[in-house]
Amino acid sequence: MAPTSETLTAERILAATEEVLRRHGPAKATVVDVARALGVSHGSVYRHFRTKAALREAVTKRWLDRTTGVLAAIVAAPGLDPETRVREWLAALFAAKRRKAFDDPELFATYSVLTTETAETVVGEHIADLTGQLTEIVRTGAEAGAFTVEDPATTAGALFRATDRFHDPHYAREWELPGVEGEFEALVDLLIRGLRARD
Amino acid sequence: MAPTSETLTAERILAATEEVLRRHGPAKATVVDVARALGVSHGSVYRHFRTKAALREAVTKRWLDRTTGVLAAIVAAPGLDPETRVREWLAALFAAKRRKAFDDPELFATYSVLTTETAETVVGEHIADLTGQLTEIVRTGAEAGAFTVEDPATTAGALFRATDRFHDPHYAREWELPGVEGEFEALVDLLIRGLRARD
DNA sequence: GGAATGACAGGTATTGAAATCTGTCAGCTG
DNA sequence: CAGCTGACAGATTTCAATACCTGTCATTCC
């Protein structure tokens, strides 16, 4: 279709894959479609990705990693007190997921399917990344004497699981309901009170 | 098949429906199957339930209500301090759901599908029942001076949502993983610390 | 006469043949 | 000669014909 003369890179294939997925959905998007969108034969796609599953994993990872960067900035941001850092990180995670779901519903629905396919690998690593960031926040908060926690990783895991409803795509349709903001605030308040240092 | 001479009641139809659902699964269980299992014509089933959807809702409600009773006992149990009551109620909810998933996986998978069909009605009421029970526990705890909460219903909602992972069927496959007990305890500890009265 | 039946119309699932897709590879091309 | 192509085998998906199911109701049965 668009027979570009640029060299065929993994990134160009992934961008085309995402576009095909957005147009056709996860069930009907084929490797042949991706190749056609790039103006190459599907054999060329297989030079860069061993299988269709590997291509789907890569495009899913690419999508998930877009979120991770924003959040990392909050982990590293200087001058935030520990409670604010936790609150802002959780709020940013919720906001990022919700923005994705709202701005491009078709693509979000598509990736919601893809993430169930790759739950064990790509999604597992994504969750490990996120809980790792949260562990760092909890650990520094504990070191600063603001939080009382036995083990930062365990507590970070509990925080992440407690807020599942506000970042797991499974609950996406509830993110637009009136009152979610308040529900989110009430939950985060409760969790932060649980983190606070005790004498 | 079993041409019982007993009169045809809604309860007998629901029991037969559950059995048919267990055997055939949610996709292939038909009203004709239910009638055949009871030794009657399918027209007779329609005398008790207006539509197949109504039959499915009723059997789902029956299944969900089996859990509610056990938990109500904990709400009403005398001599429990507020923290213990919250902890035991949440633990009993988790245990009940997990037992259902473990004891009869086929039936659990079937009801997991049915609950997505009836999310707005039957499941909504079930969740309202449960958060109502939890609100009662939080309210009495606050009145006893053990908890500091602005609004018991809001806090109960936060507690319920925070523990989604341990009662939402969506996460059922994680309930058998090693370490879930510890994850559950860590989360409940954090939540209860958040509830505690502050000076 | 109140409950149950079974034929029926309209709609939804099943089935199997045909079309398409995945993944490979020998050969082409720049 | 590194990258790309397109024909191919086996697996999966699509599609249309058929079978079955849902919901109704005039009729039958105790």
Side-chain angles (χ1 to χ4, degrees):
Chain A
M1 182 168 286
T4 66
S5 53
E6 297 175 56
T7 56
L8 190 63
T9 61
E11 173 52 31
R12 283 190 63 223
I13 293 173
L14 290 176
T17 302
E18 185 167 288
E19 190 51 32
V20 167
L21 281 167
R22 193 204 317 272
R23 285 194 144 87
H24 299 353
K28 297 211 278 182
T30 71
V31 176
V32 172
D33 289 332
V34 173
R36 188 161 35 226
L38 288 163
V40 299
S41 75
H42 73 280
S44 298
V45 174
Y46 279 97
R47 174 165 300 280
H48 293 264
F49 297 94
R50 276 208 307 281
T51 65
K52 183 185 183 180
L55 175 58
R56 291 183 151 218
E57 280 188 20
V59 79
T60 303
K61 177 169 168 45
R62 179 171 169 274
W63 186 69
L64 294 174
D65 283 352
R66 277 184 222 154
T67 300
T68 318
V70 187
L71 297 171
I74 295 172
V75 178
L80 254 50
D81 74 283
E83 287 192 12
T84 305
R85 201 184 296 273
V86 169
R87 192 181 291 278
E88 293 211 346
W89 190 90
L90 289 173
L93 177 57
F94 182 28
K97 297 285 180 178
R98 195 160 60 157
R99 203 178 316 116
K100 282 187 177 179
F102 182 80
D103 290 354
D104 198 335
E106 291 83 8
L107 192 62
F108 186 80
T110 291
Y111 277 116
S112 294
V113 172
L114 290 188
T115 51
T116 65
E117 286 176 5
T118 63
E120 307 302 322
T121 58
V122 176
V123 175
E125 282 164 31
H126 178 61
I127 290 172
D129 281 354
L130 292 176
T131 52
Q133 291 190 7
L134 204 42
T135 300
E136 187 62 16
I137 293 174
V138 171
R139 195 180 55 74
T140 57
E143 281 172 2
F147 301 151
T148 297
V149 297
E150 262 188 40
D151 172 50
T154 302
T155 301
L159 287 171
F160 192 77
R161 281 185 280 278
T163 51
D164 270 341
R165 173 172 292 251
F166 301 104
H167 59 248
D168 189 325
H170 178 240
Y171 296 104
R173 57 183 203 84
E174 315 206 2
W175 296 345
E176 292 168 57
L177 264 46
V180 262
E181 284 296 344
E183 290 176 3
F184 178 75
E185 292 300 330
L187 176 51
V188 173
D189 285 349
L190 185 66
L191 292 170
I192 285 180
R193 279 182 55 180
L195 284 172
R196 277 186 193 144
R198 326 218 99 208
D199 44 299
Chain B
M1 183 165 283
T4 66
S5 52
E6 296 174 60
T7 56
L8 191 61
T9 61
E11 173 54 29
R12 283 190 62 223
I13 293 173
L14 290 175
T17 302
E18 183 166 290
E19 190 52 31
V20 167
L21 281 167
R22 194 205 315 274
R23 285 195 144 87
H24 298 352
K28 297 211 277 183
T30 71
V31 176
V32 172
D33 289 331
V34 173
R36 187 160 36 225
L38 289 163
V40 300
S41 74
H42 73 281
S44 298
V45 174
Y46 279 97
R47 174 165 299 281
H48 293 264
F49 297 94
R50 276 208 308 281
T51 64
K52 182 185 184 181
L55 176 58
R56 289 183 154 219
E57 280 187 22
V59 78
T60 303
K61 176 168 166 46
R62 178 170 171 273
W63 187 70
L64 293 174
D65 283 352
R66 278 185 222 153
T67 300
T68 318
V70 188
L71 297 171
I74 295 172
V75 178
L80 253 51
D81 75 284
E83 287 192 11
T84 305
R85 203 183 295 273
V86 169
R87 192 181 291 278
E88 293 210 346
W89 191 90
L90 290 172
L93 177 58
F94 181 29
K97 297 285 180 178
R98 195 160 60 159
R99 203 178 317 113
K100 282 187 177 179
F102 182 79
D103 289 355
D104 198 335
E106 290 82 10
L107 192 62
F108 186 81
T110 291
Y111 278 114
S112 295
V113 173
L114 290 189
T115 51
T116 65
E117 286 175 7
T118 63
E120 307 304 322
T121 60
V122 176
V123 174
E125 282 162 33
H126 178 62
I127 290 173
D129 281 354
L130 293 176
T131 52
Q133 291 191 6
L134 204 42
T135 300
E136 187 62 17
I137 293 173
V138 171
R139 195 181 56 74
T140 57
E143 280 172 5
F147 301 151
T148 297
V149 296
E150 262 188 41
D151 173 51
T154 302
T155 302
L159 287 171
F160 193 77
R161 282 185 279 279
T163 51
D164 271 341
R165 173 172 293 251
F166 301 105
H167 58 249
D168 189 326
H170 178 239
Y171 296 104
R173 56 181 204 86
E174 315 206 2
W175 296 344
E176 293 168 56
L177 264 44
V180 261
E181 283 296 344
E183 290 176 3
F184 177 75
E185 291 300 331
L187 176 52
V188 173
D189 285 349
L190 185 66
L191 292 169
I192 285 180
R193 279 182 55 181
L195 285 173
R196 278 187 193 144
R198 326 217 99 209
D199 44 300

